[in-house]
Amino acid sequence: MARADNPIIQTIYTADPAPLVHNGRVYLYTGHDEDGSTYFTMKEWRVWSSSDMVNWTDHGSPLSLSTFGWASADAWAGQAVFRNGRFYWYVPVKNRATGRMAIGVAVGDSPTGPFRDALGRPLVENGEIDPTVFIDDDGQAYMYWGNPNLWYVRLNPDMISYSGAPTQIPLTTAGFGTRTGNPSRPTLYEEGPWVYKRNGLYYMVFAAACCSEFIAYSTAPGPTGPWTYRGTIMPTQGGSFTNHPGVIDFNGGSYFFYHNGALPGGGGFTRSVAVEKFAYNANGTFPTINMTTAGAPQVGTLNPYVRQEAETIAWASGVETETSGEGGMNVGWIENGDYVKVKGVAFGAGAASFTARVASAAGGGRIELRLGGPTGTLVGTCNVPGTGGWQTWTTVSCPVNGATGTHDLYLRFTGASGYLFNVNWWQFNATGGRNGSPGAADE
């Protein structure tokens, strides 16, 4: 798996990707399938971000069922949007009082939270799911949602109330394709709508048919229709009987997010988010997009001479993440032979030393710095001591030799049996650089 970068998160199971471009980064909002699930057992949402589409930083879970005092279960597919300096995250949850699915809205001042319940009650409730929110060029915002039906409301500028009543979109075969064999569902529309505008055309991308689902789309001249079915984007594939789309443009490219069951133990209830880069056809239609293990190409490179969070990962083997006592997240559950891959690290003229923030309630271990693979060229080894606690942090440094140019960096962890140590962040220091030196004192 050393060359694979899809799925893009390997530390937990993720589903229902909702990407948002903000200030030169892609923020990715996902659900979290619990390990070993045999149903859509989901209790929280997660946030990740990337500036290069391959190295994703784990921002943990700033929103969960407990955020909504009225919600009892089912932290299912949501989407976050930015407006008026705030981030509004729309999610379907089960209303404890009614036992029905409802749409809640949380608000935060940062794309990574914290988020709080904006209303203390559902924004709208009709038993249906999967909200997507789109703000048109004229400032009018719309929320669409639904399974088995498809609805929209016009959101007010405050983004937490709406004008008029929810409107049902007619599910016609002209608008949403023809499904056979299910008289109660004559069209292909199933769930998971994703609405946006491109070159004056309105797109509705959705999970089609069931089960298994594929991804299809329709277009319209206006935000409320009339919709015209345009065909398949991603055919049925990938080991999960559901799929869920998210589409963005970022840094001159177009990207299609989805989920599958590709991780070990993966399946229809233990899904993983992945991404492909694509190009629209000249007439604005989608090409066919297939799932790959390669994923999207890297945008630019990663700078190792600034502090990098250990939870910024292109591919992880064996490790997990957790909330750090120093803020943010840290990498933990590290055992002998586990590793983290960071893609496209630009060492330039060369690195002289490596520094990492570490903690260990056990005997510690070693961080091997390798290029090109988990058993690739060894350019440095940092010894990690026992610190007396998993959140008792110290800083260690070690010399580096032979790290020049641009390479995939593997932090390979070695030591005795059991859990070895945790890592919060790391940084290389350039040859001749003033920032740090081998054997620098603990901070």
Side-chain angles (χ1 to χ4, degrees):
M1 298 293 281
R3 300 197 183 281
D5 294 300
N6 261 340
I8 57 176
I9 308 300
Q10 308 86 39
T11 50
I12 61 169
Y13 294 117
T14 54
D16 305 326
L20 169 68
V21 178
H22 182 74
N23 282 357
R25 289 186 76 82
V26 176
Y27 291 88
L28 180 63
Y29 300 82
T30 75
H32 173 200
D33 287 339
E34 297 290 328
D35 288 0
S37 292
T38 55
Y39 180 65
F40 301 111
T41 307
M42 307 173 77
K43 303 172 184 176
E44 64 177 14
W45 298 267
R46 307 279 294 214
V47 184
W48 325 80
S49 73
S50 179
S51 62
D52 64 10
M53 295 304 297
V54 296
N55 296 301
W56 292 90
T57 302
D58 187 346
H59 299 286
S61 172
L63 185 67
S64 68
L65 288 173
S66 62
T67 306
F68 301 99
W70 50 272
S72 62
D74 300 340
W76 289 355
Q79 184 184 357
V81 298
F82 175 71
R83 189 169 201 180
N84 307 326
R86 288 178 153 178
F87 298 84
Y88 297 88
W89 198 346
Y90 302 82
V91 292
V93 293
K94 185 172 285 184
N95 184 344
R96 181 182 291 105
T98 64
R100 293 199 306 172
M101 292 303 290
I103 309 300
V105 57
V107 62
D109 298 319
S110 152
T112 58
F115 286 86
R116 61 190 181 278
D117 185 353
L119 290 172
R121 56 177 169 78
L123 170 65
V124 65
E125 177 177 342
N126 63 3
E128 302 200 36
I129 60 171
D130 292 0
T132 181
V133 172
F134 160 71
I135 304 171
D136 207 348
D137 299 334
D138 62 2
Q140 178 63 58
Y142 300 83
M143 182 175 75
Y144 308 78
W145 77 103
N147 177 346
N149 302 296
L150 180 57
W151 303 80
Y152 75 88
V153 292
R154 288 181 170 88
L155 294 174
N156 293 326
D158 65 8
M159 300 300 282
I160 59 171
S161 63
Y162 58 88
S163 297
T167 301
Q168 195 168 341
I169 296 174
L171 290 177
T172 65
T173 54
F176 296 92
T178 302
R179 185 187 313 211
T180 56
N182 185 348
S184 67
R185 301 287 286 254
T187 78
L188 291 171
Y189 177 82
E190 181 76 19
E191 61 186 351
W194 181 270
V195 176
Y196 64 99
K197 184 181 185 178
R198 179 180 182 269
N199 293 344
L201 191 62
Y202 296 79
Y203 289 73
M204 173 150 337
V205 184
F206 56 91
C210 188
C211 286
S212 294
E213 295 174 347
F214 62 97
I215 303 299
Y217 75 114
S218 302
T219 60
T224 63
W227 297 96
T228 300
Y229 182 65
R230 296 298 183 190
T232 297
I233 299 174
M234 178 172 278
T236 301
Q237 54 194 277
S240 164
F241 60 85
T242 65
N243 201 345
H244 195 99
V247 185
I248 55 166
D249 287 338
F250 174 66
N251 212 25
S254 297
Y255 297 90
F256 184 86
F257 289 81
Y258 59 96
H259 67 227
N260 59 26
L263 283 188
F269 303 114
T270 44
R271 298 161 294 179
S272 294
V273 169
V275 66
E276 308 295 341
K277 189 179 185 182
F278 74 97
Y280 291 91
N281 297 319
N283 62 359
T285 58
F286 269 90
T288 300
I289 302 172
N290 288 302
M291 300 181 184
T292 73
T293 56
Q298 187 168 10
V299 176
T301 55
L302 183 134
N303 179 4
Y305 302 116
V306 297
R307 176 173 144 173
Q308 297 287 349
E309 297 301 317
E311 64 274 12
T312 297
I313 295 169
W315 191 267
S317 177
V319 304
E320 297 180 36
T321 62
E322 65 183 345
T323 301
S324 169
E326 296 191 315
M329 306 287 286
N330 64 255
V331 171
W333 289 275
I334 292 170
E335 295 173 282
N336 182 55
D338 290 350
Y339 67 84
V340 165
K341 170 189 173 182
V342 186
K343 194 169 183 177
V345 177
F347 292 104
S353 66
F354 171 85
T355 301
R357 187 74 167 165
V358 296
S360 177
R366 293 175 302 282
I367 304 173
E368 297 180 354
L369 308 174
R370 292 183 177 270
L371 305 182
T375 58
T377 304
L378 182 68
V379 296
T381 302
C382 254
N383 291 313
V384 176
T387 64
W390 294 116
Q391 294 290 326
T392 304
W393 296 95
T394 191
T395 306
V396 296
S397 294
C398 55
V400 172
N401 291 291
T404 61
T406 299
H407 299 273
D408 293 349
L409 169 69
Y410 288 74
L411 305 179
R412 186 170 182 264
F413 309 116
T414 61
S417 60
Y419 295 125
L420 302 177
F421 52 87
N422 293 342
V423 186
N424 192 7
W425 54 260
W426 57 264
Q427 181 174 344
F428 284 82
N429 302 291
T431 303
R434 290 180 296 118
N435 53 344
S437 59
D442 289 349
E443 292 177 358

